[in-house]
Amino acid sequence: MQFPATRLRRTRMQPWSRALVAEHQLTTNDLIWPVFVIEGENLQEPIISMPGVYRYSIDRLMTEVREAQALGIQAIALFPVIAHALKTDDGQEALNPDNLICRTIRALKAEFPMLGIICDVALDPYTTHGHDGLVIDNEIANDATVAVLVHQALNQVKAGCDVVAPSDMQDGRIGAIRHALESAGYPNTLILSYTAKYASAFYGPFRTAIGSQAQLGQKDKKSYQQDPANSHESLREALLDIKEGADILMVKPGMPYLDIIYRMKTKFQIPVFAYQVSGEYSMLATCAEAGHLDFNQSMLEALLGFKRAGADAILTYAAKTIARLIA
Ligand code: PBG
C-alpha cells in the first residue's frame, strides 16, 4: 500500500461511495428505549437531570410506546419510580404482583403484543438505602440478595416481561434466575445480563430520575459493581454469565468502556448490548442545550461507535429521537 497508488480519500469523495464502503450502520433494529414509569394519570414529568427525558404514567406511556413502535423501535426497558412510602429496607415491593412495574407490563402486553419488554432485576428502586441488594451487617449480602432477585424476576415474568435484566452485580444470580425460570415453566424467557456493570459516576442523572440518589446519599456501590480500572475481570464475568445461562451480555456504561464491548464480542461471539447511560445522554443533551454541539449528529456518532465496537443493540434515552432521524 503506497501513495499515490493508494489514496484513501478516493472512496471518501462522494456520498454514494462513502455509503457503499461504510462498514457499520445504525438502524432502528439496534435501538432499545429505556423509559421511566410513575404512578398516576395523564402525567409526563420532565427529568431535570436529563433534558428531553420524562417520567410517564402508564396511560401516557401507551401513547409514547405506540409512537416508538411506529418508528421501528421493537423493545423497551422499564424503570419504575417507586413512591417513597413503599420503599423498605428489604425492598419487598419488588415482589408485589400488583406493583407499578407489573401493572405496566400487563398494560403494555395487552396493547402491544409484539413489543419486547425488558425489566431490570435489582432492588434499588424499592429500598430505603438505595442499594441493589439486601444490607446485612453493613454488607450487601450476596446470597440472600440473589434469593430475593429470583423472586423479583419471577414476579416480572409472570406479569408478562420477555427479558429479565439483572443489573445488581451479585455473584451467581444468572444461574439462580435461569434455574428458577426453567423450574417455573418459563424456558423461553431471555436473560440479558448486566455482565460488566461498572461502579460509575455516569449513573448520576438516572439515580435522580428514579429517586434512588436521595436514598443512597454518599454511599457507593463499589463493593459489588466493577472497578473501572479492570478489563480482564469483565471477561471472567462474561464467562460465568454464559455458563450460568445468560442469552445476551451487556456492558455499562457505554462510551468509556468500548474496549470491553469489543473484547467481549470478539472473545465470545455472543450477543452483546451496550447501555449508553444517563450521564452519557445528559452530557450531550446539556451541551447541545448550551449551543456547544449538535445533539443529533453527536448522538448518531456515539451510537455508531457502539456498533463499531461490536454492540448488537444499544439502550439509549435518545432512541425515539434517533429513530425519527434515521427512519
Ligand atoms: C440499578 C440501575 C442503575 C442503572 C440502571 N439500573 C443505576 C445504579 O446501578 O445505580 C443506570 C442507568 C443509567 O444511568 O442510565 N440497578
Side-chain angles (χ1 to χ4, degrees):
M1 217 169 47
Q2 233 181 1
F3 178 84
T6 300
R7 288 180 186 266
L8 289 176
R9 287 187 52 187
R10 284 186 201 119
T11 52
R12 290 179 203 149
M13 278 300 164
Q14 301 294 335
W16 62 264
S17 57
R18 287 198 293 273
L20 289 177
V21 302
E23 296 172 41
H24 298 280
Q25 195 186 8
L26 184 72
T27 78
T28 50
N29 289 338
D30 302 313
L31 302 175
I32 297 166
W33 187 34
V35 293
F36 298 104
V37 199
I38 44 170
E39 291 286 1
E41 268 169 50
N42 199 24
L43 293 177
Q44 171 173 346
E45 283 180 8
I47 297 166
I48 307 304
S49 56
M50 304 176 72
V53 179
Y54 300 86
R55 306 180 187 92
Y56 299 102
S57 55
I58 296 178
D59 52 349
R60 287 291 279 268
L61 184 63
M62 294 297 143
T63 317
E64 290 295 320
V65 169
R66 188 168 302 113
E67 238 175 64
Q69 243 192 350
L71 289 167
I73 294 170
Q74 316 220 34
I76 64 171
L78 294 177
F79 295 96
V81 180
I82 301 300
H84 197 267
L86 292 175
K87 297 190 193 221
T88 54
D89 271 3
D90 59 4
Q92 274 296 312
E93 178 64 8
L95 313 184
N96 173 5
D98 220 23
N99 65 16
L100 178 59
I101 193 99
C102 291
R103 279 181 280 122
T104 309
I105 298 167
R106 284 195 291 268
L108 285 168
K109 270 291 153 190
E111 190 101 2
F112 311 106
M114 298 304 283
L115 179 75
I117 300 183
I118 303 169
C119 290
D120 232 46
V121 179
L123 298 179
D124 55 318
Y126 304 96
T127 54
T128 38
H129 43 71
H131 277 300
D132 293 16
L134 302 176
V135 183
I136 302 173
D137 294 335
N138 267 325
E139 192 178 307
I140 316 307
N142 191 88
D143 300 9
T145 296
V146 170
V148 180
L149 296 178
V150 165
H151 285 143
Q152 181 186 21
L154 280 176
N155 191 34
Q156 294 167 348
V157 171
K158 283 176 187 159
C161 154
D162 303 287
V163 185
V164 285
S167 72
D168 56 288
M169 290 305 279
Q170 308 305 304
D171 288 322
R173 89 272 211 219
I174 300 301
I177 292 172
R178 176 55 76 205
H179 176 76
L181 289 171
E182 289 288 331
S183 312
Y186 297 102
N188 296 326
T189 300
L190 291 160
I191 300 181
L192 162 59
S193 176
Y194 284 74
T195 294
K197 178 171 177 180
Y198 285 87
S200 173
F202 288 94
Y203 307 148
F206 172 97
R207 290 178 183 167
T208 312
I210 68 158
S212 65
Q213 186 56 57
Q215 255 58 45
L216 200 60
Q218 293 303 308
K219 304 190 292 289
D220 63 51
K221 301 189 177 182
K222 290 180 184 168
S223 75
Y224 47 111
Q225 297 181 344
Q226 262 189 258
D227 184 344
N230 298 348
S231 57
H232 297 311
E233 193 184 349
S234 288
L235 300 184
R236 296 182 72 197
E237 286 282 4
L239 199 59
L240 285 165
D241 282 356
I242 294 167
K243 283 192 175 153
E244 289 177 32
D247 302 287
I248 305 166
L249 309 183
M250 183 139 72
V251 175
K252 175 186 175 185
M255 201 138 83
Y257 299 92
L258 293 177
D259 57 324
I260 309 296
I261 298 172
Y262 180 77
R263 288 184 65 188
M264 210 177 263
K265 187 68 190 178
T266 310
K267 178 131 185 124
F268 298 111
Q269 282 110 40
I270 182 174
V272 175
F273 289 2
Y275 199 143
Q276 183 190 48
V277 300
S278 55
E280 297 175 68
Y281 170 87
S282 294
M283 281 196 294
L284 300 186
T286 55
C287 199
E289 266 192 346
H292 300 316
L293 52 67
D294 181 293
F295 180 79
N296 289 346
Q297 293 313 312
S298 55
M299 184 51 83
L300 274 175
E301 186 178 331
L303 297 177
L304 195 56
F306 289 122
K307 294 297 295 176
R308 209 180 54 244
D312 297 284
I314 307 140
L315 281 89
T316 172
Y317 298 97
K320 276 180 81 174
T321 310
I322 293 304
R324 227 170 258 125
L325 211 62
I326 63 184

